[in-house]
C-alpha cells in the first residue's frame, strides 16, 4: 500500500562537511606531459554502472532519526498510514527486540507504526532530507534490536556526486583529470564493496569506514563533470575489479598493499613504486610531503599506555609503565615501517606497519600522518626521554596519491594515464554485470 503526502518546506540544519583527503596545491615543477592518447576502451558499452542502486548506511546507531522532504513524498511498506507534514521522526519502540518503530509528525502525532522496512521516496524533482543531509534517491528505514537503520538507496553515479568532492576536496576546473581519476577510483571501490557487510542492511557506511558521503549539499560542477566524463568506468585487472585504495600524499613512495596490511596478498595493481623522480615527486607540493613531530618520553609513554593495547586488541591494563625503548624492527620496500617494537618497563610489543599511526599520535590527538618516517630516539637513565619523527606523506600510501594526481593533471596527464600510473597493470573499462554480486545488476 502506498500513500502520498503533501509536504511543507522543511527547515533543517545542514552540517557543513569539511573536505578530507588531500591538501595543498599541485607541484610547481612541470615535467613534460606524455603524448595525448585516446583511451582505447572508450568505445566499449557503458550500460551497467550508472543504473546500479547502491545502499548507503546513513544511520546505524541510536533509536531516533529525523527525515522529510522539501516537497511531497511517499511512504510505503506492507503496513502504511498517512500524515500531513514533511518533517517526520522515526523512533524505535523501547524494549522491542523485534524492531518495531513508529513515525511521528512535527506535532508528535503518530503517523506510522510497524516493523518496516519503511520506504520513503520523494516525488517529482524533490529531494529527501535524512538527518542533516539532503539526498538523492530514496530512504529505507528498518530497526533491529536497539538501533534504527536508515539506508539511502541511490544510483551509483548519483552517490559519487556526494563522495568525490569530499574525497579530493573542491577543485578548480584545471584539476578535472585528477578529479576524474578520483571518480573512477571511488566508483571501483564502491562496486567492489557491494554487499560486503553480510549482517548490515547496506553496502557502505557514509563515513570514513568506507567513503565519506554527504549528499547533494557538497556536489559541485567540477566533480559532476569528472563523474559524467568517466560515467560507468572502473579499474580492473585479470582478477576483476581492483580494490582501488587511495590516500592523500604518498611522500614520493607508494606502498605495497601487503606492506601496509600484512594479512593482504600482494596485488599487482596495488604494488608500491615511486611517484616521480627524486626531488621531483608529483606530490611534493603537499603540506604533508615532509613533516616533523616530537614527543617527550612522558608524552609518548602516555600515548603507548592509552592506545597500544587498543590497537593490538589486548585486555585492558596490558600496557604498563614507562617506555624504555622504541625500535624499528623491519621496514617494507617503500621504506615504511613494517614492524615497530615498543619496550616498556614491564614488557615489549611489536606493532605492524600502518597500525602504529594510531599509537604515535600528534599533539592534537590526530593520528600520525604516515609510517614513512625516521624515528630519532633519545634515551637517558634507561628510559626514552625524547622521540623526534621526521616523516613524509599523509595516509597509507597504497594506490592513488591524490596530491600526486593533481600534479599530474596540471602537467597535462589525462585521467586514464593518472590511473595507470597509480594502479600498475590495471586497465580502465566499463563496469559489467559480471563484476557485481549476483542479483545486483541494473535495477536490482
Ligand atoms: Zn605521491
Amino acid at each position: 500500500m502506498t500513500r502520498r503526502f503533501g509536504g511543507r518546506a522543511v527547515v533543517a540544519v545542514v552540517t557543513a562537511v569539511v573536505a578530507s583527503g588531500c591538501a595543498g596545491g599541485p607541484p610547481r615543477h612541470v615535467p613534460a606531459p606524455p603524448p595525448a592518447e585516446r583511451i582505447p576502451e572508450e568505445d566499449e558499452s557503458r550500460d551497467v554502472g550508472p543504473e546500479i542502486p547502491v545502499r548507503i548506511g546513513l544511520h546505524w546507531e541510536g533509536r531516533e532519526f529525523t527525515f522529510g522532504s522539501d516537497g511531497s513524498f511517499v511512504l510505503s511498506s506492507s503496513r502504511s498510514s498517512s500524515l500531513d507534514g514533511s518533517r517526520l521522526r522515526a523512533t524505535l519502540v523501547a524494549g522491542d527486540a523485534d524492531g518495531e518503530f513508529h513515525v511521528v509528525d512535527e506535532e508528535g502525532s503518530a503517523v506510522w507504526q510497524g516493523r518496516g522496512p519503511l520506504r520513503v521516496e520523494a516525488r517529482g524533482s524533490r529531494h529527501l532530507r535524512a538527518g542533516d543531509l539532503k539526498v538523492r534517491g530514496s530512504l529505507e528505514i528498518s530497526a533491529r534490536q536497539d538501533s534504527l537503520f536508515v539506508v539511502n538507496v541511490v544510483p551509483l553515479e548519483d552517490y559519487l556526486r556526494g563522495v568525490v568532492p569530499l574525497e579530493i576536496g573542491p577543485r578548480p576546473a584545471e584539476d578535472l583529470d585528477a578529479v576524474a581519476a578520483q571518480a573512477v577510483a571511488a566508483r571501483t571501490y564502491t562496486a567492489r564493496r557491494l554487499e560486503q557487510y553480510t549482517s548490515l542492511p547496506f553496502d557502505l557506511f557514509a563515513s570514513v569506514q568506507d567513503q565519506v558521503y554527504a549528499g547533494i549539499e557538497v556536489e559541485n560542477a567540477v566533480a559532476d563533470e569528472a563523474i559524467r566524463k568517466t560515467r560507468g568506468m572502473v579499474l580492473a585487472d585479470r582478477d576483476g575489479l581492483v580494490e582501488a585504495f587511495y590516500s592523500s600524499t604518498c611522500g614520493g613512495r607508494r606502498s605495497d598493499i601487503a606492506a601496509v596490511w600484512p594479512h593482504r596478498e600482494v596485488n599487482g595493481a596495488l604494488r608500491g613504486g615511486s611517484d616521480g623522480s627524486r626531488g621531483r615527486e608529483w606530490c611534493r607540493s603537499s603540506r604533508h610531503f615532509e613533516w616533523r613531530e616530537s614527543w617527550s618520553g612522558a608524552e609518548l609513554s602516555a600515548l603507548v599506555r592509552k592506545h597500544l593495547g587498543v590497537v593490538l586488541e589486548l585486555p585492558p591494563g596490558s600496557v604498563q609503565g614507562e617506555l624504555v625503548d622504541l625500535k624499528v624492527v623491519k621496514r617494507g620496500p617503500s621504506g615504511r615501517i613494517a614492524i615497530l617494537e615498543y619496550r616498556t618497563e614491564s614488557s615489549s610489543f611489536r606493532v605492524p606497519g600502518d597500525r602504529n599511526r594510531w599509537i604515535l599520535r600528534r599533539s592534537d590527538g590526530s593520528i600520525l600522518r604516515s609510517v614513512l618516517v625516521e624515528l630519532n630516539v633519545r634515551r637517558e637513565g634507561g628510559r626514552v626521554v625524547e622521540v623526534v619523527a621526521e616523516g613524509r606523506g599523509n595516509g597509507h600510501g597504497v594506490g592513488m596519491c591524490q596530491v600526486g594526481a593533481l600534479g599530474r593533471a596540471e602537467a597535462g596527464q589525462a585521467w586514464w594515464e593518472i590511473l595507470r600510473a597509480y594502479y600498475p597493470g590495471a586497465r580502465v573499462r566499463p563496469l559489467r554485470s559480471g563484476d557485481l554480486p549476483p542479483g545486483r545488476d541494473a535495477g536490482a
Side-chain angles (χ1 to χ4, degrees):
M1 177 176 175
T2 298
R3 295 280 179 88
R4 182 189 300 190
F5 305 102
R8 296 191 297 269
V10 171
V11 180
V13 177
V14 178
T15 306
V17 178
V18 178
S20 61
C22 67
R28 293 299 125 219
H29 67 89
V30 181
E37 180 189 355
R38 179 176 167 77
I39 180 167
E41 299 90 349
E42 199 170 35
D43 296 329
E44 290 189 36
S45 70
R46 300 184 184 187
D47 56 342
V48 181
E51 308 304 327
I52 299 166
V54 295
R55 300 173 60 83
I56 309 304
L58 300 182
H59 183 271
W60 51 89
E61 277 178 337
R63 308 177 67 89
E64 287 204 346
F65 189 78
T66 303
F67 65 96
S69 170
D70 54 2
S72 62
F73 60 102
V74 173
L75 290 186
S76 59
S77 72
S78 56
R79 295 177 55 199
S80 297
S81 71
S82 64
L83 77 161
D84 262 334
S86 59
R87 186 182 174 96
L88 308 179
R89 192 173 73 245
T91 305
L92 190 60
V93 177
D96 189 334
D98 291 337
E100 187 165 301
F101 60 99
H102 55 231
V103 176
V104 298
D105 64 16
E106 285 172 291
E107 282 75 45
S109 305
V111 295
W112 185 91
Q113 182 157 353
R115 288 194 162 76
L118 179 64
R119 194 168 173 87
V120 187
E121 290 174 280
R123 296 196 67 83
S125 58
R126 299 297 186 169
H127 297 114
L128 297 172
R129 292 268 179 200
D132 290 335
L133 302 183
K134 185 176 178 184
V135 296
R136 299 181 187 279
S138 60
L139 299 178
E140 226 175 74
I141 305 174
S142 61
R144 289 185 201 171
Q145 296 180 345
D146 57 358
S147 270
L148 280 173
F149 289 87
V150 181
V151 179
N152 183 198
V153 184
V154 59
L156 173 59
E157 301 295 303
D158 281 345
Y159 162 67
L160 294 174
R161 298 172 69 186
V163 166
V164 170
L166 296 175
E167 292 292 343
I168 198 160
R171 309 303 316 180
E174 54 264 34
D175 291 340
L176 181 63
D177 279 277
V179 183
Q182 174 70 66
V184 175
R187 183 182 294 109
T188 310
Y189 181 96
T190 304
R192 241 197 92 111
R193 293 197 169 226
L194 297 178
E195 299 193 6
Q196 63 177 320
Y197 304 120
T198 52
S199 62
L200 294 171
F202 51 81
D203 299 313
L204 295 102
F205 287 92
S207 69
V208 290
Q209 276 168 277
D210 285 302
Q211 296 175 131
V212 182
Y213 165 69
I216 293 170
E217 307 282 353
V218 299
E219 292 175 2
N220 69 54
V222 173
D224 282 355
E225 171 63 10
I227 293 161
R228 192 202 57 74
K229 76 186 279 189
T230 63
R231 186 173 166 85
M233 300 302 270
V234 291
L235 278 166
D237 59 19
R238 60 170 186 259
D239 297 325
L241 298 182
V242 170
E243 201 163 5
F245 288 107
Y246 48 89
S247 67
S248 161
T249 305
C250 76
R253 281 175 278 171
R254 289 179 299 103
S255 181
D256 193 308
I257 187 169
V260 174
W261 294 294
H263 62 287
R264 300 296 303 270
E265 287 176 28
V266 175
N267 175 310
L270 297 178
R271 62 177 183 263
S274 63
D275 191 15
S277 56
R278 195 181 177 89
R280 292 165 62 89
E281 295 85 354
W282 288 103
C283 52
R284 182 164 272 277
S285 72
S286 168
R287 65 191 165 95
H288 304 298
F289 185 76
E290 286 177 319
W291 47 261
R292 188 175 186 276
E293 306 285 347
S294 64
W295 304 267
S296 70
E299 287 167 344
L300 203 54
S301 293
L303 288 175
V304 168
R305 284 193 298 271
K306 186 172 179 186
H307 300 296
L308 191 146
V310 176
V311 164
L312 290 183
E313 298 181 7
L314 302 173
S318 298
V319 186
Q320 303 280 346
E322 297 297 304
L323 192 64
V324 299
D325 202 7
L326 183 65
K327 193 169 72 183
V328 176
V329 175
K330 188 180 167 195
R331 288 187 185 271
S334 72
R336 284 173 174 78
I337 292 173
I339 299 172
L340 184 61
E341 185 176 81
Y342 300 75
R343 198 146 61 81
T344 69
E345 289 165 314
S346 55
S347 30
S348 69
F349 307 89
R350 290 186 166 198
V351 178
D354 211 52
R355 300 305 300 158
N356 289 287
R357 294 169 59 206
W358 278 259
I359 300 171
L360 303 173
R361 288 175 184 251
R362 302 168 69 188
S363 55
D364 64 0
S366 60
I367 64 172
L368 192 70
R369 277 171 274 194
S370 90
V371 290
L372 182 54
V373 62
E374 296 293 332
L375 298 173
N376 305 301
V377 180
R378 191 158 67 83
R379 300 172 69 236
E380 270 173 27
R383 285 185 178 180
V384 171
V385 294
E386 186 191 44
V387 175
V388 176
E390 289 177 333
R392 279 188 169 196
N394 187 24
H396 50 64
V398 178
M400 187 171 76
C401 169
Q402 292 171 305
V403 179
L406 292 166
R408 289 170 185 267
E410 178 151 291
Q413 292 191 22
W415 57 271
W416 64 88
E417 294 171 315
I418 295 170
L419 289 166
R420 286 173 185 167
Y422 288 127
Y423 301 97
R427 64 189 279 259
V428 176
R429 65 153 170 81
L431 183 60
R432 300 171 183 151
S433 54
D435 296 324
L436 304 172
R440 288 301 298 267
D441 54 351

